[in-house]
Amino acid sequence: MRVDIVTIFPEYLAPLELSLIGRARQSDVLDVTVHDLRAWTHDAHRTVDDSPYGGGPGMVMRPEPWGEVLDALRADREADPPRLIVPTPAGVPFSQRLARELAGEPRLLFACGRYEGIDERVVAYAASRMTVTEVSLGDYVLFGGEVAVLVVLEAVVRLLPGVLGNADSLVEESHAGGLLEAPLYTKPAQWRGYEVPEVLRSGDHGRIARWRREQALLRTAARRPDLLAALPADALDEDDRVLLAGTGLSPPGGDMAE
Ligand code: JD8
């Protein structure tokens, strides 16, 4: 996969040298280039922002340098255009589903906004030349798109064939099934007065699987009732429903056992 990232803070993307993403770049699975937006300005001050039409606080990114860099990257390897990803709080929520979709693209181009954001015409222009997806990490406010790019890339790269951690993603498909994971433990069995649940040391794989299922259901009900409510009707069996009925955290609409 080829990835281009355009930003006024190229150093913000330094973590892409590290760990498993760094290793994927050293192998031939991932080719990342970070571009400084100011390289496409022409004035002495390398200006990328100006005041908003209509008034209001802060500054807006001017369209001209964005137009130049998008043209240059679109023209490079013209036969396969990149998919443009623009992080913004006004985007569609980023999700594992979208990560899977992006992992199937040969080429991604990320546009990192700063200040109040990017002039709207940049997205309109880009959409006439390539697929554009505006994504949001969630309902909180960041200073700019760089951290969102790190998050999206981490989620996408671990799904690429040949990247370590890929065995993981196969487990995730079959296993996790829309619930939070059960808690994890390792050695020592006793630590500072806390002990590993007996069931996990029992060697009884049936009991262990049932305990993990219960823990996953109880956690999901307590912390993420939205996930529980979104499960398909056949995702919960009678034991699951009895367990959840006892918590008062049952999914709405579920025909719960007393
Ligand atoms: C890109 C500028 C800051 C956004 C005024 C100052 C994503 N989940 C998310 N939260 N925030 C962002 C995000 C924020 C950004 C930019 C992404 C570019 N800002 C602006 C509008 C309100 N602040 C994000 N993905």
Side-chain angles (χ1 to χ4, degrees):
M1 171 180 280
R2 170 174 170 180
V3 174
D4 293 283
I5 304 166
V6 183
T7 171
I8 60 168
F9 293 123
E11 327 86 78
Y12 232 111
L13 285 304
L16 296 177
E17 310 274 342
L18 305 175
S19 187
L20 294 163
I21 294 180
R23 190 188 304 177
R25 292 174 73 178
Q26 285 182 338
S27 71
D28 262 352
V29 174
L30 182 65
D31 170 18
V32 179
T33 310
V34 180
H35 306 267
D36 186 346
L37 179 69
R38 293 191 198 275
W40 279 269
T41 60
H42 300 287
D43 64 312
H45 294 113
R46 308 214 296 165
T47 307
V48 295
D49 63 318
D50 211 328
S51 52
Y53 273 115
M59 300 293 267
V60 174
M61 294 189 105
R62 293 174 60 100
E64 302 97 319
W66 282 111
E68 295 209 21
V69 67
L70 294 180
D71 284 349
L73 292 171
R74 173 65 185 82
D76 186 19
R77 258 172 62 193
E78 199 164 0
D80 71 321
R83 175 156 169 187
L84 180 64
I85 308 299
V86 186
T88 160
V92 300
F94 186 59
S95 63
Q96 193 62 29
R97 187 202 63 77
L98 184 52
R100 258 183 248 120
E101 190 179 314
L102 298 183
E105 299 280 354
R107 230 183 125 177
L108 299 176
L109 167 54
F110 291 94
C112 299
R114 280 270 150 177
Y115 312 107
E116 296 303 307
I118 306 172
D119 186 298
E120 188 65 24
R121 292 168 292 181
V122 172
V123 164
Y125 171 78
S128 74
R129 280 158 177 75
M130 59 191 102
T131 300
V132 180
T133 307
E134 294 180 274
V135 302
S136 168
L137 281 203
D139 295 338
Y140 39 81
V141 183
L142 306 174
F143 279 131
E146 286 79 7
V147 167
V149 170
L150 293 174
V151 170
V152 170
L153 269 184
E154 185 149 325
V156 168
V157 169
R158 64 179 285 283
L159 299 177
L160 297 179
V163 172
L164 208 82
N166 186 242
D168 219 25
S169 67
L170 302 176
V171 172
E172 155 198 80
E173 309 280 19
S174 60
H175 190 49
L179 297 178
L180 302 182
E181 294 288 335
L184 301 170
Y185 297 88
T186 186
K187 290 177 278 299
Q190 317 276 345
W191 179 73
R192 298 190 179 186
Y194 295 83
E195 69 171 25
V196 174
E198 180 278 327
V199 56
L200 295 179
R201 293 179 285 146
S202 69
D204 181 340
H205 299 295
R207 254 182 90 210
I208 292 169
R210 284 194 297 279
W211 181 84
R212 285 186 168 150
R213 174 76 180 177
E214 286 172 12
Q215 292 295 311
L217 286 162
L218 293 174
R219 277 187 162 187
T220 306
R223 301 176 185 179
R224 294 295 305 277
D226 58 312
L227 292 183
L228 213 51
L231 289 175
D234 65 352
L236 301 180
D237 67 16
E238 191 55 25
D239 287 350
D240 295 338
R241 290 174 188 281
V242 169
L243 177 78
L244 292 173
T247 66
L249 295 164
S250 315
D255 181 26
M256 303 299 297
E258 292 302 313

